[in-house]
Amino acid sequence: MNRTDAATEFRLALSLFSRLPAGSLPVLPPGSLGAAVWCFPLVGALIGLLAGIAGLVAHGLGLGIWGVAIAIIAAEILITGGLHEDGLADVADGLGGRDVASRLAIMRDSRIGSFGSLALFLSLAARLVLLAQIGTGWGAGGLVFAAIAANAGARLALVLPLALLDPARPDGLGASVGRIDGERALSGAVFAFGIGIVCLGWGVLPAALAVVIAGLVAVAVGRDRFGGFTGDLLGAAACLGLVFGLVAIAGHV
């Protein structure tokens, strides 16, 4: 993989996972996103860094640790456009369907139901409380490292459904990803672990385990309830990975 290929794949992942400027992309062959899995954690780390900086700005404006935590979450949502949160809500609503076909149809409905609303509330509330707990122990500066590590791990969590499941539909984002290259997925895991080491030291070990568990939960849900993975399931996996990772980090503050 040459530098041009690597840069294009990074910009592709950046354009998918965020609203950050990625420049104009060339017409890419099918399966290009699957080849870019190595840089998913790098894009997550960038999102976490920018969100952490927003938290530092809030801290500099005199906000307390709860205000800093809210600023970080708000920045994450603004940067990503709420992409993963939308997936979480759709998956939660879809779980209420009677069979695979109805669940997939519910997930394509743009309206949010009660299950989706509750899932979003619980996810955001958990992130707020966990970030506040981490900030109480580590300070606003420590929250930057936690945000970087957790966001990098969250984008690694969604690789597991990609690697272990087939697309649930013949169309849509899931079907366009293509088959995951094991070597590139391993490279992504190495990047995520390295980022975690830098940010958390050996506290990365429980965080890494938590992220893997989140990904496996998404795999189990996708296999048993949807017959494979969808774009929404990948978003839900990222949200679970973020929450599970923060739980592990907060447990070592």
Short mmCIF file of all heavy atoms in Angstrom, two decimals, residues 24-76:
data_model
loop_
_atom_site.label_atom_id
_atom_site.label_comp_id
_atom_site.label_asym_id
_atom_site.label_seq_id
_atom_site.Cartn_x
_atom_site.Cartn_y
_atom_site.Cartn_z
N SER A 24 -11.92 16.29 -2.12
CA SER A 24 -12.66 15.53 -3.12
C SER A 24 -11.99 14.18 -3.34
O SER A 24 -10.78 14.10 -3.52
CB SER A 24 -12.72 16.30 -4.44
OG SER A 24 -11.42 16.56 -4.93
N LEU A 25 -12.78 13.14 -3.28
CA LEU A 25 -12.27 11.79 -3.43
C LEU A 25 -12.46 11.31 -4.87
O LEU A 25 -13.47 11.61 -5.51
CB LEU A 25 -13.00 10.84 -2.48
CG LEU A 25 -12.68 11.00 -0.99
CD1 LEU A 25 -13.70 10.24 -0.16
CD2 LEU A 25 -11.28 10.49 -0.70
N PRO A 26 -11.51 10.54 -5.38
CA PRO A 26 -11.68 9.96 -6.71
C PRO A 26 -12.75 8.87 -6.68
O PRO A 26 -13.17 8.43 -5.60
CB PRO A 26 -10.30 9.37 -7.02
CG PRO A 26 -9.72 9.06 -5.67
CD PRO A 26 -10.23 10.15 -4.76
N VAL A 27 -13.20 8.46 -7.84
CA VAL A 27 -14.12 7.33 -7.92
C VAL A 27 -13.37 6.08 -7.48
O VAL A 27 -12.33 5.72 -8.05
CB VAL A 27 -14.67 7.15 -9.34
CG1 VAL A 27 -15.57 5.93 -9.42
CG2 VAL A 27 -15.42 8.41 -9.78
N LEU A 28 -13.87 5.45 -6.43
CA LEU A 28 -13.17 4.31 -5.84
C LEU A 28 -13.88 3.02 -6.18
O LEU A 28 -15.12 2.98 -6.30
CB LEU A 28 -13.10 4.48 -4.32
CG LEU A 28 -12.33 5.71 -3.83
CD1 LEU A 28 -12.51 5.90 -2.33
CD2 LEU A 28 -10.86 5.60 -4.19
N PRO A 29 -13.15 1.93 -6.33
CA PRO A 29 -13.77 0.64 -6.66
C PRO A 29 -14.57 0.10 -5.47
O PRO A 29 -14.32 0.49 -4.32
CB PRO A 29 -12.58 -0.26 -6.97
CG PRO A 29 -11.44 0.35 -6.21
CD PRO A 29 -11.69 1.83 -6.24
N PRO A 30 -15.55 -0.77 -5.71
CA PRO A 30 -16.30 -1.38 -4.60
C PRO A 30 -15.35 -2.08 -3.63
O PRO A 30 -14.34 -2.66 -4.02
CB PRO A 30 -17.20 -2.40 -5.32
CG PRO A 30 -17.32 -1.90 -6.72
CD PRO A 30 -16.01 -1.26 -7.04
N GLY A 31 -15.69 -1.97 -2.36
CA GLY A 31 -14.87 -2.60 -1.33
C GLY A 31 -13.77 -1.71 -0.79
O GLY A 31 -12.99 -2.15 0.07
N SER A 32 -13.68 -0.46 -1.28
CA SER A 32 -12.60 0.42 -0.81
C SER A 32 -12.71 0.71 0.68
O SER A 32 -11.69 0.83 1.37
CB SER A 32 -12.63 1.74 -1.60
OG SER A 32 -12.37 1.51 -2.97
N LEU A 33 -13.94 0.83 1.18
CA LEU A 33 -14.10 1.11 2.60
C LEU A 33 -13.59 -0.04 3.45
O LEU A 33 -12.97 0.16 4.50
CB LEU A 33 -15.57 1.40 2.93
CG LEU A 33 -15.86 1.79 4.37
CD1 LEU A 33 -15.09 3.04 4.75
CD2 LEU A 33 -17.35 2.03 4.57
N GLY A 34 -13.81 -1.27 2.98
CA GLY A 34 -13.30 -2.42 3.71
C GLY A 34 -11.79 -2.43 3.78
O GLY A 34 -11.20 -2.90 4.75
N ALA A 35 -11.14 -1.88 2.75
CA ALA A 35 -9.67 -1.81 2.75
C ALA A 35 -9.15 -0.73 3.67
O ALA A 35 -7.96 -0.72 4.00
CB ALA A 35 -9.17 -1.57 1.32
N ALA A 36 -10.03 0.19 4.09
CA ALA A 36 -9.60 1.32 4.92
C ALA A 36 -9.73 1.05 6.41
O ALA A 36 -9.54 1.96 7.22
CB ALA A 36 -10.41 2.57 4.55
N VAL A 37 -10.05 -0.20 6.79
CA VAL A 37 -10.29 -0.47 8.21
C VAL A 37 -9.07 -0.18 9.08
O VAL A 37 -9.21 0.09 10.28
CB VAL A 37 -10.74 -1.94 8.44
CG1 VAL A 37 -12.10 -2.18 7.85
CG2 VAL A 37 -9.72 -2.91 7.86
N TRP A 38 -7.87 -0.23 8.50
CA TRP A 38 -6.67 0.01 9.28
C TRP A 38 -6.65 1.40 9.91
O TRP A 38 -6.04 1.62 10.96
CB TRP A 38 -5.42 -0.16 8.40
CG TRP A 38 -5.33 0.84 7.28
CD1 TRP A 38 -5.85 0.72 6.03
CD2 TRP A 38 -4.69 2.12 7.32
NE1 TRP A 38 -5.59 1.84 5.28
CE2 TRP A 38 -4.88 2.71 6.05
CE3 TRP A 38 -4.00 2.81 8.30
CZ2 TRP A 38 -4.38 3.98 5.74
CZ3 TRP A 38 -3.51 4.08 8.00
CH2 TRP A 38 -3.69 4.65 6.73
N CYS A 39 -7.33 2.37 9.25
CA CYS A 39 -7.26 3.75 9.75
C CYS A 39 -8.50 4.16 10.52
O CYS A 39 -8.59 5.31 10.97
CB CYS A 39 -7.00 4.72 8.60
SG CYS A 39 -8.31 4.82 7.37
N PHE A 40 -9.47 3.26 10.72
CA PHE A 40 -10.66 3.62 11.50
C PHE A 40 -10.28 4.17 12.89
O PHE A 40 -10.81 5.20 13.31
CB PHE A 40 -11.59 2.42 11.65
CG PHE A 40 -12.35 2.06 10.40
CD1 PHE A 40 -12.10 2.70 9.18
CD2 PHE A 40 -13.32 1.07 10.43
CE1 PHE A 40 -12.80 2.36 8.04
CE2 PHE A 40 -14.03 0.73 9.29
CZ PHE A 40 -13.77 1.36 8.09
N PRO A 41 -9.39 3.49 13.65
CA PRO A 41 -9.03 4.04 14.97
C PRO A 41 -8.32 5.39 14.88
O PRO A 41 -8.44 6.21 15.80
CB PRO A 41 -8.10 2.96 15.55
CG PRO A 41 -8.46 1.71 14.82
CD PRO A 41 -8.79 2.16 13.43
N LEU A 42 -7.58 5.63 13.80
CA LEU A 42 -6.90 6.92 13.65
C LEU A 42 -7.92 8.04 13.48
O LEU A 42 -7.78 9.12 14.06
CB LEU A 42 -5.95 6.88 12.45
CG LEU A 42 -4.82 5.86 12.51
CD1 LEU A 42 -3.96 5.94 11.26
CD2 LEU A 42 -3.96 6.06 13.75
N VAL A 43 -8.95 7.78 12.69
CA VAL A 43 -10.02 8.77 12.54
C VAL A 43 -10.73 8.98 13.87
O VAL A 43 -11.03 10.10 14.27
CB VAL A 43 -11.01 8.33 11.45
CG1 VAL A 43 -12.23 9.25 11.42
CG2 VAL A 43 -10.34 8.30 10.09
N GLY A 44 -10.97 7.87 14.60
CA GLY A 44 -11.59 8.00 15.92
C GLY A 44 -10.74 8.82 16.87
O GLY A 44 -11.26 9.65 17.63
N ALA A 45 -9.43 8.60 16.84
CA ALA A 45 -8.53 9.36 17.72
C ALA A 45 -8.58 10.85 17.38
O ALA A 45 -8.55 11.70 18.28
CB ALA A 45 -7.11 8.83 17.59
N LEU A 46 -8.65 11.18 16.09
CA LEU A 46 -8.76 12.59 15.69
C LEU A 46 -10.05 13.21 16.20
O LEU A 46 -10.05 14.34 16.71
CB LEU A 46 -8.69 12.68 14.16
CG LEU A 46 -8.88 14.09 13.57
CD1 LEU A 46 -7.82 15.05 14.07
CD2 LEU A 46 -8.87 14.02 12.03
N ILE A 47 -11.15 12.47 16.09
CA ILE A 47 -12.43 12.95 16.60
C ILE A 47 -12.33 13.17 18.11
O ILE A 47 -12.79 14.19 18.65
CB ILE A 47 -13.56 11.97 16.26
CG1 ILE A 47 -13.78 11.93 14.74
CG2 ILE A 47 -14.86 12.34 16.99
CD1 ILE A 47 -14.70 10.81 14.28
N GLY A 48 -11.72 12.21 18.82
CA GLY A 48 -11.57 12.35 20.26
C GLY A 48 -10.69 13.52 20.65
O GLY A 48 -10.97 14.22 21.63
N LEU A 49 -9.63 13.75 19.87
CA LEU A 49 -8.75 14.88 20.15
C LEU A 49 -9.49 16.20 20.01
O LEU A 49 -9.39 17.09 20.88
CB LEU A 49 -7.55 14.84 19.20
CG LEU A 49 -6.61 16.06 19.23
CD1 LEU A 49 -5.97 16.21 20.61
CD2 LEU A 49 -5.56 15.95 18.15
N LEU A 50 -10.23 16.36 18.93
CA LEU A 50 -10.97 17.60 18.72
C LEU A 50 -12.04 17.79 19.79
O LEU A 50 -12.26 18.91 20.27
CB LEU A 50 -11.60 17.60 17.33
CG LEU A 50 -10.60 17.60 16.16
CD1 LEU A 50 -11.35 17.51 14.83
CD2 LEU A 50 -9.73 18.84 16.20
N ALA A 51 -12.71 16.70 20.16
CA ALA A 51 -13.71 16.79 21.23
C ALA A 51 -13.05 17.15 22.55
O ALA A 51 -13.59 17.95 23.34
CB ALA A 51 -14.47 15.47 21.36
N GLY A 52 -11.86 16.58 22.82
CA GLY A 52 -11.14 16.91 24.04
C GLY A 52 -10.72 18.37 24.08
O GLY A 52 -10.77 19.02 25.13
N ILE A 53 -10.32 18.90 22.92
CA ILE A 53 -9.96 20.31 22.86
C ILE A 53 -11.18 21.19 23.17
O ILE A 53 -11.07 22.21 23.87
CB ILE A 53 -9.38 20.65 21.48
CG1 ILE A 53 -8.00 19.99 21.30
CG2 ILE A 53 -9.27 22.16 21.28
CD1 ILE A 53 -7.42 20.12 19.91
N ALA A 54 -12.34 20.78 22.67
CA ALA A 54 -13.57 21.51 23.00
C ALA A 54 -13.80 21.49 24.51
O ALA A 54 -14.24 22.49 25.10
CB ALA A 54 -14.77 20.89 22.28
N GLY A 55 -13.49 20.36 25.15
CA GLY A 55 -13.61 20.28 26.60
C GLY A 55 -12.66 21.22 27.30
O GLY A 55 -13.01 21.85 28.31
N LEU A 56 -11.43 21.34 26.79
CA LEU A 56 -10.45 22.26 27.39
C LEU A 56 -10.91 23.71 27.24
O LEU A 56 -10.69 24.53 28.15
CB LEU A 56 -9.08 22.06 26.74
CG LEU A 56 -8.36 20.75 27.04
CD1 LEU A 56 -7.03 20.71 26.30
CD2 LEU A 56 -8.14 20.59 28.55
N VAL A 57 -11.52 24.02 26.10
CA VAL A 57 -12.05 25.37 25.91
C VAL A 57 -13.14 25.65 26.94
O VAL A 57 -13.18 26.73 27.55
CB VAL A 57 -12.59 25.54 24.48
CG1 VAL A 57 -13.35 26.86 24.34
CG2 VAL A 57 -11.45 25.48 23.47
N ALA A 58 -14.02 24.67 27.14
CA ALA A 58 -15.08 24.83 28.14
C ALA A 58 -14.47 25.02 29.53
O ALA A 58 -14.94 25.86 30.32
CB ALA A 58 -16.00 23.61 28.13
N HIS A 59 -13.42 24.26 29.82
CA HIS A 59 -12.74 24.40 31.11
C HIS A 59 -12.12 25.79 31.24
O HIS A 59 -12.20 26.42 32.30
CB HIS A 59 -11.66 23.33 31.25
CG HIS A 59 -10.88 23.40 32.53
ND1 HIS A 59 -11.44 23.13 33.76
CD2 HIS A 59 -9.57 23.72 32.76
CE1 HIS A 59 -10.53 23.26 34.70
NE2 HIS A 59 -9.38 23.63 34.12
N GLY A 60 -11.53 26.29 30.16
CA GLY A 60 -10.93 27.61 30.19
C GLY A 60 -11.96 28.71 30.37
O GLY A 60 -11.63 29.80 30.87
N LEU A 61 -13.20 28.44 29.97
CA LEU A 61 -14.28 29.42 30.14
C LEU A 61 -14.86 29.38 31.54
O LEU A 61 -15.80 30.13 31.85
CB LEU A 61 -15.38 29.17 29.11
CG LEU A 61 -14.99 29.44 27.65
CD1 LEU A 61 -16.12 29.02 26.71
CD2 LEU A 61 -14.65 30.91 27.45
N GLY A 62 -14.33 28.49 32.37
CA GLY A 62 -14.76 28.45 33.76
C GLY A 62 -15.85 27.44 34.06
O GLY A 62 -16.37 27.42 35.17
N LEU A 63 -16.19 26.59 33.10
CA LEU A 63 -17.21 25.58 33.36
C LEU A 63 -16.64 24.49 34.26
O LEU A 63 -15.45 24.15 34.19
CB LEU A 63 -17.70 24.96 32.05
CG LEU A 63 -18.42 25.90 31.08
CD1 LEU A 63 -18.90 25.12 29.87
CD2 LEU A 63 -19.58 26.61 31.76
N GLY A 64 -17.49 23.91 35.07
CA GLY A 64 -17.09 22.80 35.93
C GLY A 64 -16.95 21.53 35.12
O GLY A 64 -17.17 21.51 33.90
N ILE A 65 -16.64 20.45 35.82
CA ILE A 65 -16.33 19.20 35.12
C ILE A 65 -17.54 18.65 34.37
O ILE A 65 -17.40 18.03 33.31
CB ILE A 65 -15.77 18.15 36.12
CG1 ILE A 65 -14.91 17.13 35.37
CG2 ILE A 65 -16.88 17.48 36.91
CD1 ILE A 65 -13.69 17.72 34.72
N TRP A 66 -18.75 18.88 34.88
CA TRP A 66 -19.94 18.43 34.16
C TRP A 66 -20.11 19.21 32.86
O TRP A 66 -20.48 18.65 31.82
CB TRP A 66 -21.18 18.56 35.03
CG TRP A 66 -21.24 17.55 36.12
CD1 TRP A 66 -20.75 17.68 37.39
CD2 TRP A 66 -21.77 16.23 36.04
NE1 TRP A 66 -20.96 16.52 38.11
CE2 TRP A 66 -21.60 15.61 37.31
CE3 TRP A 66 -22.40 15.50 35.03
CZ2 TRP A 66 -22.01 14.32 37.58
CZ3 TRP A 66 -22.83 14.21 35.30
CH2 TRP A 66 -22.63 13.63 36.56
N GLY A 67 -19.83 20.51 32.91
CA GLY A 67 -19.89 21.32 31.70
C GLY A 67 -18.85 20.90 30.68
O GLY A 67 -19.12 20.89 29.47
N VAL A 68 -17.67 20.54 31.16
CA VAL A 68 -16.62 20.05 30.27
C VAL A 68 -17.06 18.75 29.60
O VAL A 68 -16.86 18.55 28.40
CB VAL A 68 -15.31 19.84 31.06
CG1 VAL A 68 -14.25 19.15 30.18
CG2 VAL A 68 -14.78 21.18 31.57
N ALA A 69 -17.65 17.83 30.38
CA ALA A 69 -18.12 16.56 29.83
C ALA A 69 -19.19 16.79 28.77
O ALA A 69 -19.18 16.13 27.71
CB ALA A 69 -18.66 15.68 30.96
N ILE A 70 -20.10 17.72 29.03
CA ILE A 70 -21.14 18.03 28.04
C ILE A 70 -20.52 18.59 26.77
O ILE A 70 -20.93 18.24 25.65
CB ILE A 70 -22.16 19.02 28.64
CG1 ILE A 70 -23.00 18.33 29.72
CG2 ILE A 70 -23.07 19.57 27.54
CD1 ILE A 70 -23.93 19.26 30.47
N ALA A 71 -19.51 19.44 26.93
CA ALA A 71 -18.85 20.03 25.76
C ALA A 71 -18.19 18.94 24.91
O ALA A 71 -18.23 18.99 23.66
CB ALA A 71 -17.81 21.05 26.20
N ILE A 72 -17.58 17.95 25.54
CA ILE A 72 -16.94 16.86 24.81
C ILE A 72 -17.97 16.06 24.03
O ILE A 72 -17.79 15.76 22.84
CB ILE A 72 -16.15 15.96 25.78
CG1 ILE A 72 -14.93 16.69 26.30
CG2 ILE A 72 -15.75 14.65 25.10
CD1 ILE A 72 -14.16 15.94 27.37
N ILE A 73 -19.07 15.72 24.69
CA ILE A 73 -20.11 14.93 24.01
C ILE A 73 -20.73 15.73 22.86
O ILE A 73 -20.94 15.20 21.77
CB ILE A 73 -21.19 14.51 25.02
CG1 ILE A 73 -20.60 13.55 26.06
CG2 ILE A 73 -22.37 13.85 24.30
CD1 ILE A 73 -21.54 13.25 27.20
N ALA A 74 -21.00 17.01 23.11
CA ALA A 74 -21.59 17.85 22.06
C ALA A 74 -20.64 17.95 20.86
O ALA A 74 -21.08 17.88 19.71
CB ALA A 74 -21.89 19.23 22.61
N ALA A 75 -19.35 18.09 21.13
CA ALA A 75 -18.37 18.18 20.05
C ALA A 75 -18.31 16.87 19.26
O ALA A 75 -18.24 16.88 18.02
CB ALA A 75 -16.99 18.53 20.60
N GLU A 76 -18.34 15.74 19.96
CA GLU A 76 -18.34 14.44 19.27
C GLU A 76 -19.53 14.33 18.33
O GLU A 76 -19.39 13.88 17.18
CB GLU A 76 -18.37 13.30 20.30
CG GLU A 76 -17.09 13.13 21.09
CD GLU A 76 -17.23 12.15 22.24
OE1 GLU A 76 -18.38 11.82 22.62
OE2 GLU A 76 -16.19 11.73 22.79
#
